[in-house]
Amino acid sequence: MLEMHLDEENYSYSLVEKQFNIVHEDDAIAVFKEHKDQEEKIFIAYFEKEDNQWEWKQTRGSKWDSPVKWSSMNDEPYIYSGAINDYSIAEVYAGDERATIIDVEDEKRYWFAISPIKDVKVKIVKTGGTEEIIEETNHEELDSK
């Protein structure tokens, strides 16, 4: 990962969470924060081990200051994810799959869910039981900022 940004100034990243054998044996996810030019984003990456080497397959990112939005990976496994900073959100679902919610720092939290189905609806459940469908992040909007 550092090789991709070797000549860049004002860039750093920090690992938040890693899990192995997430969909099948010899795969993994990594959740990491990226600091670039005074801005922080959070990403989830999916890896598979091939010929004893970890191969980076897919990545999706979120900005902390955006409203509660999400994105999904285009290829299998379909990993849905997003940044949240609202503690009234108790649960997140991508279709029928309940998301893992990670406390990152202060009020920043990050969630991800792995679904066998592409294009599912994402909903949040608040502490009082209120449910709400959440719209997907516009990837061009995120990448252009």
Side-chain angles (χ1 to χ4, degrees):
M1 184 156 29
L2 286 175
E3 291 172 6
M4 294 184 335
H5 301 280
L6 197 54
D7 295 329
E8 289 186 45
E9 293 182 17
N10 302 318
Y11 174 83
S12 67
Y13 78 95
S14 56
L15 185 64
V16 174
E17 173 96 4
K18 63 183 174 186
Q19 295 182 14
F20 295 94
N21 304 321
I22 199 84
V23 177
H24 57 76
E25 192 172 324
D26 289 335
D27 73 349
I29 55 138
V31 176
F32 61 95
K33 295 186 297 185
E34 176 188 78
H35 304 271
K36 184 177 178 181
D37 300 325
Q38 307 291 315
E39 185 176 63
E40 182 180 86
K41 294 180 184 176
I42 188 160
F43 291 86
I44 188 167
Y46 178 73
F47 301 86
E48 288 184 341
K49 196 178 241 185
E50 296 174 359
D51 298 326
N52 242 9
Q53 293 283 346
W54 287 104
E55 298 292 330
W56 193 319
K57 297 296 187 178
Q58 305 185 72
T59 306
R60 277 289 177 256
S62 299
K63 293 175 81 172
W64 289 117
D65 58 354
S66 65
V68 178
K69 292 185 179 180
W70 57 273
S71 63
S72 66
M73 296 188 180
N74 296 324
D75 296 316
E76 288 186 65
Y78 303 113
I79 300 176
Y80 297 80
S81 60
I84 52 178
N85 54 9
D86 179 350
Y87 268 96
S88 70
I89 297 173
E91 298 174 349
V92 180
Y93 289 88
D96 293 333
E97 303 299 323
R98 185 176 177 175
T100 298
I101 298 177
I102 302 166
D103 290 325
V104 179
E105 64 185 31
D106 301 324
E107 293 187 12
K108 297 175 180 178
R109 297 189 299 157
Y110 188 76
W111 66 269
F112 69 91
I114 300 169
S115 174
I117 302 167
K118 187 175 183 173
D119 298 327
V120 300
K121 296 225 181 273
V122 171
K123 80 174 175 185
I124 60 169
V125 180
K126 298 220 172 182
T127 51
T130 307
E131 296 183 2
E132 183 181 332
I133 301 293
I134 303 301
E135 297 302 317
E136 185 172 10
T137 298
N138 180 332
H139 296 292
E140 284 107 33
E141 178 184 298
L142 182 64
D143 292 337
S144 67
K145 292 187 177 180

